[in-house]
Amino acid sequence: YRLVDNLGNPAPAANTAITLQRGNGPPITKTGASLIPDFFPSTGSLQWSYDQHGEGWAVFYQLPEDLAYMVTVTFDGTPVGEATVDKLTHTIMEDLVLRIYKVKLVFVDCENSPLSREAFVKVVPPSPATPYVTQLDSTGALDFGYLAGGQYTIDGVWWKGVWVKFTDARIGDDTLPLNPDGSLTFTVDSNIDSPIKLTALINDFI
């Protein structure tokens, strides 16, 4: 299968894992951006497969015919794609479109000035992935590249020793509702063309 997003772009190997379930042996998983060849029967490098066969191609070799197989794909630990072969009768070369989407957030203070790399943001991804804290870039942005589809919460921003909530969230001119505690929950089910802009409860004191 060629692992792609909804626009046909190959999924990044570093975040992606594909597992082949088979009735005649243990599961086989290809994952990660290392270049270690597929010397082991139950695991292998997804990036090595990309390099050998083309970007996005996850290739499983010499599978016995007339058997059923299932393929599952995760992105950062979240399920994003699956395919079932009831009976293998020929070589399959198809795109498998994954539920991954491009998302970018920008963070500003109450004066609309961007935050900096001093700021850290707590992200709560869909289960079963675990919450994590990540740093903003020098422009106050958090560019995920891709996120797995599902519901996310931006819990707050760590700024100068305290966790700060948000007073406003927007995509373009559209306002997004905040949770009662000042966090933002949003659903990722398509590419978000404009960045989500979050205003943190941070003011100048003169």
Side-chain angles (χ1 to χ4, degrees):
Y1 288 96
R2 191 169 75 98
L3 308 179
V4 297
D5 68 6
N6 61 331
L7 298 178
N9 301 305
N15 308 79
T16 308
I18 179 170
T19 299
L20 177 74
Q21 306 281 349
R22 50 187 181 151
N24 62 329
I28 304 171
T29 297
K30 295 179 185 289
T31 185
S34 72
L35 296 178
I36 300 174
D38 292 338
F39 292 145
F40 303 101
S42 62
T43 188
S45 165
L46 186 56
Q47 185 63 58
W48 188 83
S49 185
Y50 281 16
D51 289 350
Q52 295 296 309
H53 305 286
E55 282 296 306
W57 284 104
V59 177
F60 297 93
Y61 299 98
Q62 297 177 331
L63 300 177
E65 291 190 358
D66 297 330
L67 295 176
Y69 297 91
M70 175 179 287
V71 167
T72 56
V73 184
T74 61
F75 190 87
D76 289 336
T78 299
V80 294
E82 54 280 322
T84 300
V85 179
D86 294 328
K87 185 177 182 180
L88 185 65
T89 58
H90 62 278
T91 297
I92 297 174
M93 298 185 67
E94 299 176 359
D95 284 359
L96 180 55
V97 180
L98 307 181
R99 299 182 294 274
I100 58 174
Y101 308 100
K102 293 186 176 182
V103 179
K104 182 178 180 179
L105 310 179
V106 295
F107 296 82
V108 299
D109 64 16
C110 290
E111 301 298 324
N112 204 37
S113 297
L115 302 185
S116 68
R117 290 182 60 83
E118 297 179 44
F120 293 81
V121 173
K122 183 177 181 181
V123 180
V124 182
S127 179
T130 57
Y132 60 91
V133 175
T134 188
Q135 187 176 20
L136 302 187
D137 67 19
S138 59
T139 67
L142 177 55
D143 190 344
F144 290 100
Y146 286 105
L147 285 178
Q151 190 175 80
Y152 291 78
T153 296
I154 308 302
D155 193 60
V157 56
W158 180 260
W159 182 252
K160 297 187 177 179
V162 295
W163 283 106
V164 179
K165 298 294 186 175
F166 305 106
T167 62
D168 188 68
R170 296 175 181 270
I171 299 178
D173 295 328
D174 297 328
T175 300
L176 302 178
L178 294 173
N179 298 320
D181 66 355
S183 62
L184 172 69
T185 298
F186 62 98
T187 299
V188 176
D189 56 11
S190 63
N191 292 324
I192 300 177
D193 296 329
S194 298
I196 299 176
K197 181 180 178 182
L198 292 105
T199 301
L201 187 56
I202 299 170
N203 279 296
D204 294 332
F205 180 77
I206 300 176

